[in-house]
Amino acid sequence: MVETVSGARGPFTGAHTGPQFSALGVNQTPMEDGSIQCREVCGLNVSDRCDFIRTTPDCHSQGGYLNYLEGIFCHFPPNLLPLAITLYAFWLLYLFLILGVTAAKFFCPNLSAISTVLKLSHNVAVSFCPGPAPRRVGGALEGRLGDHVAAHGPGAGLDRLGPLLCVPLTCSPPHGVTFLAFGNGAPDIFSALVAFSDPRTAGLAFGALFGAGVLVTTAVAGGITILRPFTAASRPFLRDIVFYMVAVYLAFTTLYLGRVTLAWALAYLGLYVFYVVTVVLCTWIYRWQRKRSLVYSMPGTPEMLSDSEEEPVSSNSYDYSEEYRPLLFYQETTVQILARALNPLDYRKWRSKSVCWRALKVVKLPVEFLMLLTVPVVDPDKEDGNWKRPLNCLHLVISPLVLILTLQSGAYGVYDIGGLVPVWVIVVIAGTAVAAVTFFATSNSEPPRLHWLFAFLGFLTSALWINAAATEVVNILRSLGVVFRLSNTVLGLTLLAWGNSIGDAFSDFTLARQGYPRMAFSACFGGIILNLLVGVGLGCLLQISRSHVAEVKLEPDGLLVWVLVGALGLSLVCSLVSVPLQCFQLNKVYGFCLLLFYVNFLVVALLTEFGVIHLKSA
């Protein structure tokens, strides 16, 4: 779907390339240079498939640690192919779990700490939503959820949101415009960047970004409305949906032109920056108007009606953390601190949870333990900043090693310096020296002055963990596409979009059930703007810079990609028209209509993929 084109290849530079429709889709279309496609392996004899996979360049992945196609066709006998597919499916689900856990519990907190270190204001780093700044109550962030915390105790109901939310706990809607909101979209963005790095998998990126857009703005938004009808915030809703429509139109135009130049890639990122500036200005204007209304309002005079995403906030709060403080001071040993820091299980919470929660926690334990061992987390809201002396010193050895072994799938880590010593050995020696100095120069009770540097180390390490997991996800999906002869676009709009959006969907539904449907609904139309603009813009920009080319050539995967873009545009137009007609009062009928739209879209997309719906050949 994507081909890099250098400036020397004149016919493609500055030329207009219209949409190239294919009646059968990309999986039946030979490659332009006449080489053999990897999808042809299923048409060969069983005895020839392994040699074909190993000798065909199109079957080789440019990144990742495992060769999934070779595993299917070389290491599993043909009669065990269903078993191989089943194992790959479970591994794919576990990779999505790794993405969610890493982004929510390690990537987002370190981003929050970095924003605090850089002394960014709440308007830039924490929230663009009007209302009180969030504060920590009993270990749970209280802002818009203050009334819930005060009524039900610390963390009541919020533990379900913790693994899934970054921004919604600290501010109203995660618009995708904040520094912290990048954590919410990290799996989507990294998946897009990985997919754009290989021309053969770029269809996954477009399919996932557009597919997630249709899913979130129809199925998720409809589910929120069905769970709890509400009145939407008019101006923020119109602002977000108009910007998203502009972003979709920009993507449609680049697909129609058939290329992405450096100017187009920068235009994507520039539109996102303009969106950020717009939200900041809207927030400041709203706060200024509200202050004026409160100052000049007289008794008996109604205050200005709220048109923000703000939810009611209770003024009552209680610091429940006092109840859990020990009566007698107890000094833990270094070994005890290390054991407690590496334990991802809260036994008190374990006893009070359901069987389903416990089962999911058991599945997540290996991931959480691995992340605790390799990724430092700095928490400015804690008195000690989450300083764990033995574990943090261990991080100084392990985290740089993870960085060098996950960068470019470990290509730099195994490189021998002077043909004698590999890079990873040098990294371990240097990290051990720094860790030893840190251990003897610090104490268990007080964090060092440069403790904030661990936030940057944790950010880089968690980002590369997410990138490594996203690379494996893309490679598995491409392998499944080869086995089942499916295009990358349909895999992107289904499996990749569902996997990356499932966390956001559950978090939005949880917010709606707890009485915050406006917050959840705003997240649907705000957060995906970041994923589309940064995913496509930064992905193409990196591809242009890495390949030293003038532009990236796009070739739509047949009719399906146009169905996908058209469905997303149609859903946004329908919402833009129908929501104001309802005076922004969204009911269950509107929610069921959105769900029906998404079901019809899936049916049409699958029928198009399998050739039932196609263009008549001339």
Side-chain angles (χ1 to χ4, degrees):
M1 178 166 181
V2 174
E3 176 184 342
T4 55
V5 182
S6 63
R9 297 177 64 180
F12 296 105
T13 306
H16 173 80
T17 304
Q20 302 176 9
F21 298 108
S22 172
L24 298 178
V26 70
N27 45 341
Q28 284 86 16
T29 305
M31 299 179 68
E32 286 188 354
D33 57 2
S35 59
I36 301 175
Q37 276 194 329
C38 190
R39 300 176 188 273
E40 299 177 10
V41 65
C42 294
L44 302 175
N45 294 328
V46 174
S47 58
D48 299 331
R49 292 178 179 178
C50 182
D51 292 335
F52 180 87
I53 291 295
R54 289 174 173 173
T55 57
T56 303
D58 188 49
C59 297
H60 300 161
S61 301
Q62 293 185 358
Y65 298 93
L66 301 176
N67 191 327
Y68 297 100
L69 285 173
E70 185 174 333
I72 292 177
F73 294 105
C74 297
H75 301 293
F76 281 91
N79 58 334
L80 293 182
L81 181 61
L83 175 61
I85 298 301
T86 303
L87 293 177
Y88 279 19
F90 279 112
W91 176 232
L92 180 64
L93 293 176
Y94 204 72
L95 285 171
F96 282 127
L97 182 67
I98 293 174
L99 287 172
V101 170
T102 307
K105 292 191 174 183
F106 298 90
F107 190 75
C108 288
N110 281 311
L111 276 176
S112 176
I114 291 174
S115 66
T116 302
V117 169
L118 298 179
K119 297 181 180 181
L120 299 177
S121 65
H122 286 296
N123 281 336
V124 178
V126 179
S127 75
F128 281 18
C129 33
R135 60 186 184 274
R136 186 166 292 273
V137 176
L141 283 170
E142 181 194 34
R144 297 291 149 63
L145 305 183
D147 49 349
H148 180 80
V149 174
H152 302 286
L158 300 182
D159 51 298
R160 290 175 291 172
L161 303 181
L164 303 174
L165 296 177
C166 292
V167 178
L169 290 181
T170 58
C171 69
S172 179
H175 291 298
V177 298
T178 66
F179 189 35
L180 298 181
F182 181 65
N184 264 351
D188 306 81
I189 295 173
F190 277 100
S191 298
L193 296 182
V194 171
F196 273 117
S197 66
D198 189 345
R200 298 167 299 178
T201 58
L204 282 172
F206 280 102
L209 293 173
F210 287 125
V214 179
L215 172 66
V216 172
T217 57
T218 56
V220 178
I224 293 170
T225 308
I226 293 172
L227 287 173
R228 187 178 291 267
F230 65 100
T231 301
S234 59
R235 285 177 290 184
F237 168 77
L238 294 175
R239 177 199 65 211
D240 290 343
I241 198 171
V242 167
F243 267 98
Y244 191 45
M245 290 178 67
V246 174
V248 173
Y249 177 77
L250 192 64
F252 172 81
T253 304
T254 55
L255 285 173
Y256 181 80
L257 295 176
R259 68 185 186 277
V260 177
T261 61
L262 179 61
W264 276 102
L266 295 176
Y268 278 95
L269 301 177
L271 179 60
Y272 172 66
V273 173
F274 180 59
Y275 173 65
V276 173
V277 173
T278 302
V279 175
V280 173
L281 292 178
C282 290
T283 303
W284 286 345
I285 292 174
Y286 168 78
R287 288 182 173 177
W288 177 74
Q289 290 177 342
R290 189 175 63 172
K291 288 180 180 178
R292 286 192 59 188
S293 175
L294 294 176
V295 169
Y296 293 105
S297 61
M298 301 296 294
T301 302
E303 295 182 1
M304 182 185 64
L305 295 177
S306 174
D307 194 28
S308 71
E309 302 92 337
E310 183 178 358
E311 304 286 352
V313 179
S314 173
S315 59
N316 299 323
S317 62
Y318 175 71
D319 192 350
Y320 287 85
S321 60
E322 297 289 340
E323 298 181 0
Y324 302 108
R325 290 185 179 178
L327 297 178
L328 299 177
F329 180 74
Y330 173 69
Q331 184 71 34
E332 289 183 312
T333 64
T334 300
V335 176
Q336 289 174 330
I337 293 175
L338 179 62
R340 184 167 57 86
L342 287 175
N343 183 16
L345 186 61
D346 186 343
Y347 296 104
R348 185 175 56 191
K349 183 185 295 185
W350 173 272
R351 290 192 296 266
S352 63
K353 292 301 179 180
S354 63
V355 176
C356 294
W357 185 94
R358 294 182 183 183
L360 180 60
K361 186 65 176 181
V362 170
V363 176
K364 292 162 57 177
L365 282 178
V367 180
E368 293 179 348
F369 176 78
L370 179 63
M371 293 300 134
L372 287 173
L373 184 64
T374 59
V375 182
V377 177
V378 177
D379 189 353
D381 294 312
K382 290 186 177 181
E383 191 173 338
D384 61 352
N386 199 38
W387 167 249
K388 302 291 185 286
R389 177 172 167 240
L391 180 59
N392 288 138
C393 292
L394 194 60
H395 285 150
L396 292 175
V397 181
I398 299 178
S399 295
L401 181 63
V402 171
L403 288 175
I404 201 67
L405 292 180
T406 54
L407 187 64
Q408 293 293 323
S409 301
Y412 295 111
V414 298
Y415 177 78
D416 293 333
I417 299 179
L420 299 175
V421 182
V423 174
W424 69 266
V425 173
I426 303 298
V427 171
V428 169
I429 294 175
T432 303
V434 176
V437 173
T438 303
F439 184 83
F440 291 108
T442 58
S443 64
N444 291 334
S445 58
E446 185 178 355
R449 288 185 299 174
L450 298 180
H451 181 219
W452 54 270
L453 289 176
F454 283 88
F456 291 89
L457 180 61
F459 165 74
L460 291 176
T461 309
S462 58
L464 285 180
W465 270 124
I466 293 175
N467 182 73
T471 302
E472 300 302 319
V473 167
V474 170
N475 289 340
I476 288 181
L477 290 178
R478 181 172 181 268
S479 301
L480 294 178
V482 171
V483 173
F484 294 106
R485 298 188 178 185
L486 297 174
S487 68
N488 288 327
T489 302
V490 75
L491 289 172
L493 70 90
T494 53
L495 296 180
L496 188 55
W498 295 340
N500 284 338
S501 302
I502 190 68
D504 293 333
F506 279 128
S507 63
D508 291 338
F509 291 156
T510 304
L511 284 172
R513 283 195 301 266
Q514 292 186 344
Y516 302 93
R518 179 183 287 190
M519 184 190 304
F521 189 79
S522 298
C524 294
F525 290 91
I528 50 180
I529 298 177
L530 169 71
N531 300 339
L532 179 59
L533 292 178
V534 176
V536 177
L538 188 59
C540 292
L541 184 63
L542 292 177
Q543 178 68 6
I544 291 174
S545 62
R546 276 195 299 257
S547 303
H548 303 286
V549 294
E551 61 185 26
V552 176
K553 184 183 177 185
L554 304 178
E555 292 184 359
D557 286 352
L559 179 61
L560 180 60
V561 70
W562 303 107
V563 172
L564 180 57
V565 176
L568 179 57
L570 181 61
S571 69
L572 295 177
V573 171
C574 291
S575 295
L576 181 61
V577 174
S578 61
V579 172
L581 289 179
Q582 301 174 74
C583 298
F584 298 93
Q585 297 179 359
L586 308 182
N587 51 34
K588 293 185 178 181
V589 175
Y590 173 73
F592 282 112
C593 289
L594 290 179
L595 290 179
L596 182 62
F597 182 96
Y598 185 71
V599 172
N600 290 332
F601 156 71
L602 280 183
V603 172
V604 173
L606 293 177
L607 291 178
T608 304
E609 169 66 18
F610 294 112
V612 178
I613 299 177
H614 58 84
L615 294 177
K616 293 182 179 180
S617 57

